[in-house]
Protein backbone atom coordinates (compact mmCIF):
# COMPACT_ATOMS: atom_id res chain seq x y z
CA UNK A 1 0.00 0.00 0.00
CA UNK A 2 1.38 3.38 -1.00
CA UNK A 3 1.53 6.08 1.66
CA UNK A 4 2.72 9.59 1.01
CA UNK A 5 5.20 11.31 3.27
CA UNK A 6 3.27 12.65 6.24
CA UNK A 7 2.51 16.36 5.90
CA UNK A 8 1.22 18.69 8.57
CA UNK A 9 -2.48 17.88 8.79
CA UNK A 10 -3.41 21.53 9.39
CA UNK A 11 -2.50 22.42 5.80
CA UNK A 12 -5.41 20.48 4.39
CA UNK A 13 -9.08 21.27 4.03
CA UNK A 14 -11.76 19.55 6.08
CA UNK A 15 -15.52 19.30 5.82
CA UNK A 16 -17.12 19.42 9.25
CA UNK A 17 -20.21 17.40 10.14
CA UNK A 18 -20.37 15.88 6.67
CA UNK A 19 -22.43 12.77 5.98
CA UNK A 20 -19.92 9.89 6.29
CA UNK A 21 -18.71 8.52 2.97
CA UNK A 22 -20.02 5.07 3.96
CA UNK A 23 -23.63 6.36 3.70
CA UNK A 24 -24.21 5.88 0.00
CA UNK A 25 -26.89 7.46 -2.12
CA UNK A 26 -28.96 4.82 -3.88
CA UNK A 27 -30.61 6.97 -6.53
CA UNK A 28 -27.70 7.45 -8.95
CA UNK A 29 -29.06 7.08 -12.52
CA UNK A 30 -27.85 3.87 -14.20
CA UNK A 31 -27.65 3.74 -17.99
CA UNK A 32 -27.54 0.31 -19.61
CA UNK A 33 -26.10 0.83 -23.10
CA UNK A 34 -27.67 -2.44 -24.25
CA UNK A 35 -31.20 -1.12 -23.69
CA UNK A 36 -33.15 0.80 -26.36
CA UNK A 37 -34.37 3.51 -23.98
CA UNK A 38 -30.86 4.57 -22.97
CA UNK A 39 -30.89 7.80 -25.02
CA UNK A 40 -33.87 9.21 -23.14
CA UNK A 41 -32.53 8.10 -19.77
CA UNK A 42 -29.21 9.83 -20.52
CA UNK A 43 -31.00 13.13 -21.18
CA UNK A 44 -33.10 12.76 -18.00
CA UNK A 45 -29.98 12.01 -15.92
CA UNK A 46 -28.14 15.02 -17.33
CA UNK A 47 -31.10 17.30 -16.62
CA UNK A 48 -31.60 16.09 -13.06
CA UNK A 49 -28.08 15.22 -11.88
CA UNK A 50 -25.48 16.10 -14.51
CA UNK A 51 -24.16 12.65 -13.62
CA UNK A 52 -24.87 8.99 -14.35
CA UNK A 53 -23.36 5.50 -14.24
CA UNK A 54 -22.91 3.43 -17.39
CA UNK A 55 -23.07 -0.38 -17.44
CA UNK A 56 -22.72 -2.83 -20.35
CA UNK A 57 -20.27 -0.31 -21.76
CA UNK A 58 -18.21 -2.62 -23.95
CA UNK A 59 -14.79 -1.56 -22.62
CA UNK A 60 -12.76 -4.78 -22.13
CA UNK A 61 -12.04 -5.55 -18.48
CA UNK A 62 -8.48 -6.42 -19.51
CA UNK A 63 -7.86 -2.82 -20.60
CA UNK A 64 -9.12 -1.50 -17.27
CA UNK A 65 -7.09 -3.86 -15.09
CA UNK A 66 -3.93 -3.43 -17.16
CA UNK A 67 -3.94 0.34 -16.82
CA UNK A 68 -4.78 0.22 -13.12
CA UNK A 69 -1.90 -2.20 -12.61
CA UNK A 70 0.51 0.12 -14.42
CA UNK A 71 -0.78 3.10 -12.43
CA UNK A 72 -0.23 1.27 -9.13
CA UNK A 73 3.31 0.39 -10.22
CA UNK A 74 4.05 4.05 -10.87
CA UNK A 75 2.49 5.36 -7.65
CA UNK A 76 4.39 2.67 -5.70
CA UNK A 77 7.72 4.16 -6.77
CA UNK A 78 9.73 6.21 -4.24
CA UNK A 79 8.62 9.84 -4.17
CA UNK A 80 12.01 10.97 -5.41
CA UNK A 81 11.55 8.85 -8.54
CA UNK A 82 7.99 10.01 -9.21
CA UNK A 83 9.02 13.63 -8.86
CA UNK A 84 11.31 13.19 -11.88
CA UNK A 85 8.08 13.12 -13.94
CA UNK A 86 7.07 16.52 -12.55
CA UNK A 87 6.33 19.19 -11.71
CA UNK A 88 3.11 19.37 -13.77
CA UNK A 89 3.30 22.14 -16.39
CA UNK A 90 0.38 21.30 -16.52
CA UNK A 91 1.17 17.77 -17.78
CA UNK A 92 3.22 15.50 -15.55
CA UNK A 93 3.34 14.28 -11.96
CA UNK A 94 1.86 16.32 -9.13
CA UNK A 95 1.72 15.72 -5.39
CA UNK A 96 -0.68 17.53 -3.03
CA UNK A 97 -0.75 20.79 -5.01
CA UNK A 98 -3.64 20.93 -7.49
CA UNK A 99 -3.10 23.58 -10.14
CA UNK A 100 -1.19 26.86 -9.78
CA UNK A 101 -3.60 28.78 -7.53
CA UNK A 102 -3.07 27.37 -4.06
CA UNK A 103 -5.47 24.39 -3.98
CA UNK A 104 -4.21 21.50 -1.84
CA UNK A 105 -5.47 17.91 -1.63
CA UNK A 106 -4.49 14.56 -0.15
CA UNK A 107 -3.69 13.24 -3.63
CA UNK A 108 -0.92 12.49 -6.07
CA UNK A 109 -1.60 12.35 -9.76
CA UNK A 110 -0.43 12.06 -13.34
CA UNK A 111 -1.90 14.41 -15.93
CA UNK A 112 -1.33 13.23 -19.51
CA UNK A 113 -2.44 14.03 -23.02
CA UNK A 114 -4.61 11.45 -24.74
CA UNK A 115 -1.96 10.96 -27.41
CA UNK A 116 0.37 8.28 -25.98
CA UNK A 117 3.03 9.20 -28.54
CA UNK A 118 3.36 12.58 -26.86
CA UNK A 119 4.39 11.12 -23.48
CA UNK A 120 7.53 12.99 -22.56
CA UNK A 121 10.90 11.28 -22.41
CA UNK A 122 11.17 12.62 -18.85
CA UNK A 123 8.04 10.72 -17.84
CA UNK A 124 8.85 7.51 -19.73
CA UNK A 125 12.35 7.37 -18.22
CA UNK A 126 10.79 7.10 -14.74
CA UNK A 127 8.98 3.90 -15.75
CA UNK A 128 12.16 1.84 -15.85
CA UNK A 129 13.17 -0.79 -18.37
CA UNK A 130 9.83 -1.29 -20.11
CA UNK A 131 7.92 1.99 -20.49
CA UNK A 132 6.07 0.49 -23.48
CA UNK A 133 3.87 -1.53 -21.12
CA UNK A 134 2.50 1.69 -19.64
CA UNK A 135 2.18 3.37 -23.02
CA UNK A 136 0.37 0.35 -24.49
CA UNK A 137 -2.02 0.04 -21.53
CA UNK A 138 -2.76 3.77 -21.70
CA UNK A 139 -3.40 3.67 -25.45
CA UNK A 140 -5.73 0.63 -25.26
CA UNK A 141 -7.73 2.17 -22.44
CA UNK A 142 -8.08 5.65 -23.94
CA UNK A 143 -9.13 4.38 -27.37
CA UNK A 144 -11.79 2.08 -25.88
CA UNK A 145 -13.12 4.72 -23.47
CA UNK A 146 -13.21 7.40 -26.15
CA UNK A 147 -15.18 5.08 -28.43
CA UNK A 148 -17.66 4.34 -25.63
CA UNK A 149 -17.88 8.04 -24.72
CA UNK A 150 -18.66 9.00 -28.33
CA UNK A 151 -21.41 6.36 -28.39
CA UNK A 152 -22.93 7.90 -25.25
CA UNK A 153 -22.66 11.43 -26.67
CA UNK A 154 -24.42 10.33 -29.87
CA UNK A 155 -27.21 8.73 -27.86
CA UNK A 156 -27.42 11.99 -25.91
CA UNK A 157 -27.78 14.00 -29.13
CA UNK A 158 -30.50 11.61 -30.34
CA UNK A 159 -32.29 11.96 -27.01
CA UNK A 160 -32.17 15.74 -27.39
CA UNK A 161 -33.62 15.33 -30.91
CA UNK A 162 -30.67 17.11 -32.50
CA UNK A 163 -30.66 16.26 -36.26
CA UNK A 164 -26.87 15.83 -36.34
CA UNK A 165 -26.16 12.99 -33.91
CA UNK A 166 -22.38 13.54 -33.96
CA UNK A 167 -22.61 17.19 -32.87
CA UNK A 168 -20.79 16.38 -29.61
CA UNK A 169 -18.82 13.25 -30.52
CA UNK A 170 -17.11 14.82 -33.54
CA UNK A 171 -15.31 17.22 -31.20
CA UNK A 172 -13.70 14.30 -29.36
CA UNK A 173 -12.92 12.43 -32.57
CA UNK A 174 -11.24 15.46 -34.14
CA UNK A 175 -7.49 14.92 -34.45
CA UNK A 176 -7.01 18.30 -32.78
CA UNK A 177 -9.27 17.43 -29.84
CA UNK A 178 -7.84 18.86 -26.63
CA UNK A 179 -8.78 15.91 -24.44
CA UNK A 180 -6.66 14.98 -21.43
CA UNK A 181 -6.31 12.01 -19.12
CA UNK A 182 -5.69 11.92 -15.39
CA UNK A 183 -4.63 9.17 -12.98
CA UNK A 184 -5.29 10.00 -9.32
CA UNK A 185 -4.03 8.18 -6.23
CA UNK A 186 -5.53 9.02 -2.83
CA UNK A 187 -3.46 7.29 -0.12
CA UNK A 188 -5.08 6.39 3.18
CA UNK A 189 -4.73 9.22 5.67
CA UNK A 190 -3.63 7.83 9.06
CA UNK A 191 -4.38 11.04 10.97
CA UNK A 192 -7.95 10.98 9.71
CA UNK A 193 -9.06 8.54 12.44
CA UNK A 194 -8.75 11.26 15.08
CA UNK A 195 -11.07 13.56 13.14
CA UNK A 196 -14.38 11.94 13.98
CA UNK A 197 -16.61 14.78 12.76
CA UNK A 198 -14.53 15.75 9.74
CA UNK A 199 -13.68 14.50 6.28
CA UNK A 200 -10.35 15.37 4.74
CA UNK A 201 -10.51 16.62 1.18
CA UNK A 202 -8.61 14.51 -1.32
CA UNK A 203 -9.69 16.70 -4.25
CA UNK A 204 -11.71 19.85 -3.56
CA UNK A 205 -15.14 20.65 -4.96
CA UNK A 206 -15.20 21.79 -8.58
CA UNK A 207 -16.82 21.34 -11.96
CA UNK A 208 -14.92 20.10 -15.01
CA UNK A 209 -14.49 22.63 -17.83
CA UNK A 210 -14.58 20.15 -20.73
CA UNK A 211 -17.62 18.66 -22.51
CA UNK A 212 -17.78 15.38 -20.61
CA UNK A 213 -15.69 13.53 -18.03
CA UNK A 214 -15.61 9.75 -17.76
CA UNK A 215 -14.40 8.35 -14.45
CA UNK A 216 -13.54 4.86 -13.34
CA UNK A 217 -12.09 3.97 -9.94
CA UNK A 218 -11.25 0.96 -7.82
CA UNK A 219 -13.69 -0.10 -5.11
CA UNK A 220 -12.60 2.57 -2.60
CA UNK A 221 -15.22 5.14 -1.65
CA UNK A 222 -14.74 8.90 -1.62
CA UNK A 223 -16.48 10.44 -4.64
CA UNK A 224 -19.29 12.85 -3.80
CA UNK A 225 -21.51 14.97 -6.03
CA UNK A 226 -23.66 17.97 -5.21
CA UNK A 227 -27.37 17.71 -5.94
CA UNK A 228 -29.33 20.63 -7.39
CA UNK A 229 -30.48 21.54 -3.85
CA UNK A 230 -26.87 21.88 -2.70
CA UNK A 231 -26.79 18.67 -0.64
CA UNK A 232 -23.72 16.45 -1.05
CA UNK A 233 -24.19 12.72 -1.61
CA UNK A 234 -21.68 9.87 -1.60
CA UNK A 235 -21.48 7.79 -4.76
CA UNK A 236 -21.20 4.01 -4.24
CA UNK A 237 -17.96 2.80 -5.85
CA UNK A 238 -18.21 0.33 -8.73
CA UNK A 239 -14.96 -0.76 -10.33
CA UNK A 240 -16.75 -2.43 -13.25
CA UNK A 241 -18.68 0.64 -14.42
CA UNK A 242 -18.02 4.17 -15.63
CA UNK A 243 -19.35 7.42 -14.24
CA UNK A 244 -20.14 10.30 -16.60
CA UNK A 245 -20.02 13.92 -15.46
CA UNK A 246 -21.45 16.84 -17.45
CA UNK A 247 -18.81 19.52 -18.00
CA UNK A 248 -19.08 23.30 -18.26
CA UNK A 249 -18.79 23.26 -22.07
CA UNK A 250 -21.77 20.89 -22.38
CA UNK A 251 -23.75 23.15 -20.05
CA UNK A 252 -23.15 26.05 -22.44
CA UNK A 253 -23.88 23.99 -25.56
CA UNK A 254 -27.27 23.00 -24.09
CA UNK A 255 -27.89 26.59 -22.91
CA UNK A 256 -28.11 25.45 -19.31
CA UNK A 257 -30.55 22.58 -19.90
CA UNK A 258 -27.75 20.32 -18.63
CA UNK A 259 -25.68 21.68 -15.75
CA UNK A 260 -22.12 20.69 -14.97
CA UNK A 261 -22.00 18.69 -11.77
CA UNK A 262 -20.02 19.94 -8.78
CA UNK A 263 -18.04 17.08 -7.26
CA UNK A 264 -15.21 16.30 -4.83
CA UNK A 265 -13.29 13.38 -3.35
CA UNK A 266 -12.91 12.72 0.39
CA UNK A 267 -10.22 10.54 1.90
CA UNK A 268 -10.36 7.85 4.54
CA UNK A 269 -7.87 6.14 6.81
CA UNK A 270 -8.21 2.59 5.52
CA UNK A 271 -7.91 2.19 1.77
CA UNK A 272 -6.14 3.74 -1.21
CA UNK A 273 -8.35 5.09 -3.98
CA UNK A 274 -7.09 4.95 -7.56
CA UNK A 275 -9.13 6.67 -10.23
CA UNK A 276 -8.69 7.31 -13.94
CA UNK A 277 -10.53 10.09 -15.72
CA UNK A 278 -10.90 10.83 -19.42
CA UNK A 279 -11.75 14.49 -20.01
CA UNK A 280 -13.36 14.84 -23.45
CA UNK A 281 -12.50 18.28 -24.80
CA UNK A 282 -12.93 20.05 -28.16
CA UNK A 283 -10.15 21.50 -30.34
CA UNK A 284 -8.62 24.68 -28.91
CA UNK A 285 -10.09 26.81 -31.70
CA UNK A 286 -13.63 25.41 -31.34
CA UNK A 287 -16.27 28.03 -30.60
CA UNK A 288 -18.45 27.06 -27.63
CA UNK A 289 -22.00 28.42 -27.69
CA UNK A 290 -25.57 27.13 -27.30
CA UNK A 291 -26.54 24.84 -30.18
CA UNK A 292 -29.13 26.46 -32.50
CA UNK A 293 -31.08 23.18 -32.63
CA UNK A 294 -31.77 23.47 -28.89
CA UNK A 295 -32.61 27.18 -28.70
CA UNK A 296 -36.19 27.23 -30.08
CA UNK A 297 -36.49 30.96 -29.64
CA UNK A 298 -34.67 31.04 -26.31
CA UNK A 299 -32.16 33.74 -25.45
CA UNK A 300 -28.58 32.56 -25.11
CA UNK A 301 -27.46 32.54 -21.48
CA UNK A 302 -23.79 32.63 -22.44
CA UNK A 303 -21.36 34.66 -24.48
CA UNK A 304 -19.63 32.73 -27.24
CA UNK A 305 -16.02 31.78 -26.52
CA UNK A 306 -13.36 29.46 -27.87
CA UNK A 307 -12.27 26.44 -25.87
CA UNK A 308 -8.79 28.00 -25.59
CA UNK A 309 -10.28 31.15 -24.04
CA UNK A 310 -12.27 29.17 -21.51
CA UNK A 311 -9.46 26.77 -20.72
CA UNK A 312 -7.09 29.69 -20.11
CA UNK A 313 -9.63 31.40 -17.88
CA UNK A 314 -10.34 28.21 -15.91
CA UNK A 315 -6.63 27.56 -15.37
CA UNK A 316 -6.36 30.93 -13.62
CA UNK A 317 -9.12 30.21 -11.08
CA UNK A 318 -9.30 28.21 -7.87
CA UNK A 319 -11.04 24.85 -7.95
CA UNK A 320 -14.26 25.93 -6.25
CA UNK A 321 -14.76 29.10 -8.33
CA UNK A 322 -17.75 29.49 -10.65
CA UNK A 323 -15.73 29.48 -13.86
CA UNK A 324 -18.70 30.10 -16.13
CA UNK A 325 -19.64 33.27 -14.29
CA UNK A 326 -17.35 35.38 -16.50
CA UNK A 327 -19.11 34.11 -19.63
CA UNK A 328 -22.75 34.46 -18.60
CA UNK A 329 -24.93 37.03 -20.31
CA UNK A 330 -26.79 39.51 -18.14
CA UNK A 331 -30.39 39.06 -19.23
CA UNK A 332 -32.66 42.05 -18.67
CA UNK A 333 -35.72 41.25 -16.60
Amino acid sequence: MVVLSKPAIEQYSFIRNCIPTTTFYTGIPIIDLSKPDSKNLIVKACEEFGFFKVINHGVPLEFITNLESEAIKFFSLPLSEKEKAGPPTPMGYGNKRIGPNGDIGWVEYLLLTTNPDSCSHKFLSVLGENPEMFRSALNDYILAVRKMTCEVLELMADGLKIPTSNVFSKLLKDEKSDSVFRLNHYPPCPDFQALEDSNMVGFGEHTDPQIISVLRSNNASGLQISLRNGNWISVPPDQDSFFFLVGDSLQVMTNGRFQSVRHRVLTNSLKSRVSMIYFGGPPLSEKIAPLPALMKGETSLYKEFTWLEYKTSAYNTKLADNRLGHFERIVAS
Side-chain angles (χ1 to χ4, degrees):
M1 186 174 286
V2 188
V3 181
L4 293 178
S5 55
K6 203 172 178 179
I9 208 80
E10 291 80 6
Q11 295 177 4
Y12 292 84
S13 299
F14 298 91
I15 300 165
R16 304 287 176 181
N17 302 315
C18 179
I19 297 172
T21 55
T22 51
T23 305
F24 295 122
Y25 183 76
T26 57
I28 300 296
I30 299 174
I31 308 300
D32 184 341
L33 292 187
S34 69
K35 299 293 179 65
D37 62 344
S38 57
K39 64 180 182 181
N40 297 318
L41 294 178
I42 289 170
V43 170
K44 186 172 187 288
C46 289
E47 290 175 336
E48 296 180 359
F49 290 85
F51 182 87
F52 54 91
K53 180 168 83 170
V54 167
I55 62 174
N56 288 322
H57 45 70
V59 177
L61 178 61
E62 178 187 5
F63 292 175
I64 298 171
T65 54
N66 284 352
L67 183 57
E68 182 174 290
S69 175
E70 291 299 317
I72 291 171
K73 284 181 192 176
F74 173 80
F75 289 126
S76 298
L77 292 171
L79 182 59
S80 59
E81 287 297 305
K82 291 181 286 192
E83 286 180 334
K84 292 177 183 178
T89 56
M91 303 300 167
Y93 172 76
N95 182 8
K96 307 182 185 78
R97 290 177 174 81
I98 304 169
N101 302 306
D103 289 296
I104 298 290
W106 192 268
V107 64
E108 59 178 342
Y109 61 89
L110 272 174
L111 189 60
L112 306 165
T113 72
T114 54
N115 179 3
D117 293 333
S118 66
C119 286
S120 69
H121 175 72
K122 179 176 71 170
F123 168 64
L124 292 175
S125 66
V126 176
L127 299 176
E129 297 179 358
N130 195 359
E132 287 305 315
M133 288 183 66
F134 186 100
R135 196 203 298 257
S136 175
L138 182 66
N139 188 48
D140 288 343
Y141 181 91
I142 287 176
L143 288 177
V145 168
R146 183 175 65 185
K147 178 183 177 185
M148 181 261 297
T149 303
C150 289
E151 178 185 350
V152 169
L153 289 175
E154 288 169 9
L155 287 168
M156 181 188 295
D158 286 343
L160 287 168
K161 297 180 172 56
I162 299 173
T164 310
S165 63
N166 71 342
V167 65
F168 304 123
S169 64
K170 68 180 181 182
L171 302 177
L172 276 57
K173 293 178 180 179
D174 193 301
E175 62 180 13
K176 294 182 179 179
S177 167
D178 186 46
S179 298
V180 294
F181 187 72
R182 187 180 187 107
L183 291 166
N184 288 330
H185 171 232
Y186 303 92
C189 176
D191 290 321
F192 176 64
Q193 287 176 317
L195 304 165
E196 294 180 359
D197 65 340
S198 305
N199 284 289
M200 175 178 282
V201 175
F203 208 109
E205 65 174 270
H206 63 288
T207 60
D208 294 332
Q210 290 88 356
I211 296 170
I212 200 82
S213 305
V214 184
L215 179 148
R216 182 268 169 193
S217 74
N218 63 353
N219 261 343
S221 63
L223 177 64
Q224 293 191 327
I225 64 169
S226 176
L227 299 178
R228 296 287 184 256
N229 61 11
N231 290 337
W232 287 91
I233 58 170
S234 294
V235 178
D238 184 348
Q239 63 184 3
D240 298 322
S241 302
F242 289 91
F243 294 94
F244 277 66
L245 300 89
V246 169
D248 295 341
S249 296
L250 186 56
Q251 176 172 326
V252 173
M253 295 175 79
T254 60
N255 203 37
R257 180 171 172 180
F258 297 170
Q259 291 185 22
S260 53
V261 61
R262 190 161 286 268
H263 55 288
R264 66 190 182 196
V265 175
L266 307 184
T267 64
N268 61 64
S269 62
L270 301 175
K271 191 174 182 180
S272 290
R273 175 180 168 88
V274 176
S275 63
M276 43 191 80
I277 311 101
Y278 169 77
F279 299 95
L284 291 172
S285 61
E286 184 70 25
K287 292 180 179 179
I288 307 297
L291 297 173
L294 296 178
M295 295 301 287
K296 298 176 182 176
E298 295 179 8
T299 301
S300 173
L301 301 179
Y302 305 95
K303 305 168 188 174
E304 183 179 273
F305 52 85
T306 66
W307 168 238
L308 176 59
E309 289 170 335
Y310 190 61
K311 180 181 178 180
T312 302
S313 173
Y315 189 69
N316 291 318
T317 62
K318 292 182 72 68
L319 274 179
D321 289 348
N322 175 17
R323 296 162 174 162
L324 275 177
H326 300 295
F327 299 89
E328 293 173 352
R329 291 185 184 275
I330 300 174
V331 180
S333 57

